[in-house]
Amino acid sequence: MSHSWVDAILAAGVVPASYVPEASVGRTDLEEFTGADPVEDPELRVHSLDGVRALAPAAVGFLDGIEQWRVVGYAGVTPIVRAYVAAAIRLRRTDRRPRTIGEDADELAITRLDRLPDAAREALERAGVRVVEISADDAGQPARALPAARIEVQKARAALERRLAERRLSGLGSDEWLVVDGVLSDSSALSAHPRVLGVVKSHGAEYFAGPELERALTLPAVRRTSVFRPKSRGARRDIYSWYLRLWPWEGNDLLYGLLRVEARAHPETVARASGISAWLTAERAPLATPDRRWDRLLYPIHDVETYLRARAPRDLLPAPGSRLPRTGT
Amino acid sequence: MIDKASPQPPPVGRVVATEQKPATPHQFHFWTANETSIGIGAIVRVEGAGSGEQGAGKVVYGVVTDGFAYSDLATPLHDVVGAEGDPARAAESPTVRQEIRLWTAAVLRQQPEEPLQPVPLGRVHVATDTDVAQALRMDAYLDGTEPTAIPVGLYTSGGLEAPVYLDADFLLGPEAAHLNISGVSGLATKTSAVEFLLGSIFQHFPPHKGRIAAVCFNVKGPDLCFLDRPGVLEEEDRRRYERLAVRAQPFERVRYYAPFKADGVNLNTLRTHPDLVGDVEPLVWGLREVLDYAEVLLNRDDIDAKADAFIDFLSDRVVDKEFDDGFGGAHRVVTFADLERLFRSIFDGLELGGGRGDTWRTHHIATIRKVRNRLSNISTRAKGLVTDDGPSNDLPWGRFEDRAVYVVDVANVDPLGQDLVFARIVSKLREHLERRDLGVEAVVVFVDELNKYAPADGPETYVKKMLLDISERGRYLGLVLFGAEQFRSQVHRRVVGNAGTIVFGRMDSDELATPGYQVLSPAIKIKLATLPIGELMVRHPHFTQPIFVRFPRPAVLRGRDGVERFPPAADLPFEDAVVRQLVKLDRRVRPNLVKDLIVDRREEDVRRALAHTRQTRPQDAFAHFKKHLGGRVAAAPATARESVPPLNPISDEPY
Ligand SMILES: Nc1ncnc2c1ncn2[C@@H]1O[C@H](COP(=O)(O)OP(=O)(O)O)[C@@H](O)[C@H]1O
Ligand SMILES: [Mg+2]
């Protein structure tokens, strides 16, 4: 879909805008857990990976998604956001070169319809763009409207990623794994599959406290913690998880090189946790630079993101200098 | 000649342009898959992007001049970090980084040509035959009523192969002319390339341009001694001949000329095998031939106007005329020997005359002595070429044959003698072409080791001036210079500069570092420095960029193989050599009779009689020879000739 719907609502009297809100720290778990149950050890321990044989799947699909959004107009103080979300799976076989085997993209308008003039609302309807609404309260306060819109963008992206991943599961080869950027636990199919991993690199959720927390966050390089089960809440599925440190954090910060891995809640996961950890450690090379999160971003995930960004519409990218006031006629 | 029906291959690349590396009207960049048939020198066709995008309908041809590969690695340090400092581990990473093959291409041609605009950011295709013809603007001379295309080699890239043609009007005049080829010995295939191209020219020289011949100076061993003999070709060579529509055959008409050795009867060439020596003509020049080009002999040293004037005097007033020396002697100077007699009587006369001073006919005695020294010097140093006496034997001026090669073997001639041969033969060619009475309309003169005859520095010798003159004016006359040398930088700038067609084989990298090659990209230079045997880079006026082509081995016997197949005969004893010369003139000559006849004759007399017989070509060679030799005189001991200095080696290579 082109962004002709933007032209249509502008023609309908919406005040044009062009604003890409500052990027935030990155995607966090949308719903937060609290607490964890021990699975592997009675209490969270540090496991060395020395001498562990790394799991070496013949084929691994890596899944990631991107989101881009921009305020394209205001009706009064109500923003109208144009968002683009996309996701792709790139499969890496023995030639070590990832190739795209599935991708999907979606465009949506985020606003509050009943705050729009009739003409603009009709224009949106006619254009056929998917409209996602924010609450009336959020829409009335610009300070709240944009964070609310942002959450909708993230949800749209997560949904797209999930759809794509679930579609792939049916075709997953017997020696093929799927590594997803982010949590598995919002999909029952992904949570239950023996060869799907979630790799989480933002650590908003709190599972531990006291000495266990210290053990988790001061984990030395190339070590993992015991496998634990995050306590579930809401729609979250049962999942097993553990922390893995890719690079020494000393000299940086506590979260440097720290991943949390998610896999299905099954005894086999405990048995494989070290093999999987050794595998993911091997994924440190090649480095995912120049991404700033390279210390915990796996290169093949970075590769998916690069692919998606290369294919995203150009007009959603923040253009340097674009915020200068218009001059002339 | 062009395969118009060839199907369009799928695109192999895509033009990209950034602010740092924009597309311009003369250059563009494109990427390809990592595994690609594209390489330096590949010709590509860019098609304007799809409908709606800029540049639709435009077609641009380009040749790849540079290539880049890089990955998304931000700094080399990150590779070290990822491999934890162990190079062995760097290859083990589970994912291969994204990488690119990015190519730079120089524009060969744009269609339409106007308005001239930056290359569109379109699809890149490997060129087909038709594309190559278009890209190199060969369509202008390949088709039409009077095509002038001369196959020079095959452009090959990615399994595609397309014939490349030179335009005869620009190779052999009148629009442009001359060819220069350079590259390291033994690898650049300079001599071979010229041999192949001559064959191609002989087969494809357009009829409307008339007749053509070649004069090749053999300056190195047996290089050009077997042009009439078939050589060994491989299947690949034959295929290339076929693709180029050139018949793989040796030259049909080759005439060999070589001077004698110092003995005056054995030929100074490596083509002396009994089966072959029969068609080698002796090249023998007398006083007249030498005097006309005396400037060649003098200007190596400090030539002065006085010596010049004296030579003119000899040439105009003395030679071939009844001449009174002023001391009571009458002379008719025809040979060097006659001239020597004249000099003696002048010196004697001046001495005897005592007070008569030291001038003779306004010429100072020192000048006379100097000229005499120079002239006797040439007759000593090039003894087999210059006869002291007796008639000369020369190229068939006025009777040159169409598609004939005249090989003049000067490989073992003293440098001074070589200069004389060049100067005289080229000047004669020029004279006859100017008068349009040579027998052919165009002559290709092939000079190997051009750096020796037209060096970049050193004195302005006669030969150098003459080569410059052909370079600058030859194209109007049909006098075309094909020059070869190892190092182009060592040849006079205007001589190479006037060559319309410039060819490079494998090049020396020091040579490539000299300023003359600045226009070439580093990638082209490395390609030139590693060029495989049989591949050449060609510049031609119609091609806006240098093009790489492959050519088949020449269909003639290589010199090196020739001397193995036809080992040169050992020098014959004097009387046997004389017999052979006479038998060649007249099959009925009986060797024993000849031997009996000459057994105690002076060698000079025998040589003179032989030369006369050769020149006269009588019905009965023996009778003529006998008559000319005259009655038996008292056997005089053979006069001790001045000893001949050892011949200067011409090159470091064998032979
Ligand atoms: N087209 C060709 N393909 C393969 N080999 C060739 C070709 N042309 C020449 N050669 C070989 O290359 C060698 C050098 O060739 P030559 O012409 O003598 O080089 P140069 O004159 O530069 O010293 C010879 O042995 C010749 O047989
Ligand atoms: Mg050679």
Side-chain angles (χ1 to χ4, degrees), chain B residues 536-613:
Chain B
L536 304 168
M537 186 175 92
V538 181
R539 308 187 67 122
H540 187 62
H542 290 292
F543 311 162
T544 33
Q545 296 291 331
I547 295 303
F548 289 90
V549 299
R550 296 184 185 190
F551 72 99
R553 280 186 184 74
V556 303
L557 187 60
R558 274 200 311 190
R560 236 191 300 152
D561 301 336
V563 287
E564 261 170 42
R565 282 256 296 282
F566 301 100
D571 283 357
L572 294 176
F574 184 76
E575 60 269 32
D576 290 330
V578 173
V579 168
R580 168 174 297 167
Q581 299 271 332
L582 282 173
V583 170
K584 192 180 142 195
L585 295 172
D586 182 350
R587 301 223 146 260
R588 297 163 309 171
V589 168
R590 303 206 1 231
N592 284 341
L593 290 184
V594 178
K595 286 186 186 172
D596 290 347
L597 183 65
I598 64 176
V599 61
D600 43 14
R601 294 309 186 84
R602 297 194 326 170
E603 290 189 3
E604 289 97 307
D605 297 334
V606 174
R607 269 194 294 267
R608 190 181 312 126
L610 184 60
H612 201 272
T613 314

Side-chain angles (χ1 to χ4, degrees), chain B residues 421-490:
Chain B
V421 172
F422 276 133
R424 191 175 131 76
I425 292 185
V426 175
S427 304
K428 291 292 276 186
L429 285 172
R430 200 196 139 136
E431 262 172 58
H432 285 279
L433 284 167
E434 258 169 6
R435 291 203 306 260
R436 313 207 157 278
D437 65 359
L438 183 62
V440 293
E441 280 69 42
V443 177
V444 173
V445 176
F446 173 39
V447 182
D448 209 338
E449 311 281 320
L450 190 59
N451 53 304
K452 275 194 203 148
Y453 308 105
D457 33 46
E460 293 284 301
T461 64
Y462 185 86
V463 169
K464 195 199 267 191
K465 282 189 278 188
M466 187 189 69
L467 289 171
L468 257 173
D469 181 71
I470 316 186
S471 306
E472 285 167 358
R473 267 180 295 264
R475 65 187 169 110
Y476 304 110
L477 298 171
L479 186 51
V480 181
L481 178 67
F482 280 18
E485 71 282 322
Q486 284 217 54
F487 306 118
R488 200 172 125 83
S489 63
Q490 291 179 2

Side-chain angles (χ1 to χ4, degrees), chain B residues 136-169:
Chain B
L136 303 182
R137 297 177 156 79
M138 300 192 302
D139 47 334
Y141 53 94
L142 261 173
D143 310 318
T145 49
E146 291 186 333
T148 50
I150 310 275
V152 63
L154 288 169
Y155 156 81
T156 49
S157 173
L160 274 173
E161 203 176 59
V164 174
Y165 304 89
L166 303 178
D167 182 350
D169 286 340

Side-chain angles (χ1 to χ4, degrees), chain B residues 184-192 237 533-534 551-554 558 560:
Chain B
V184 296
S185 248
L187 292 172
T189 63
K190 302 183 293 291
T191 309
S192 307
D237 296 313
I533 278 185
F551 72 99
R553 280 186 184 74
R558 274 200 311 190
R560 236 191 300 152

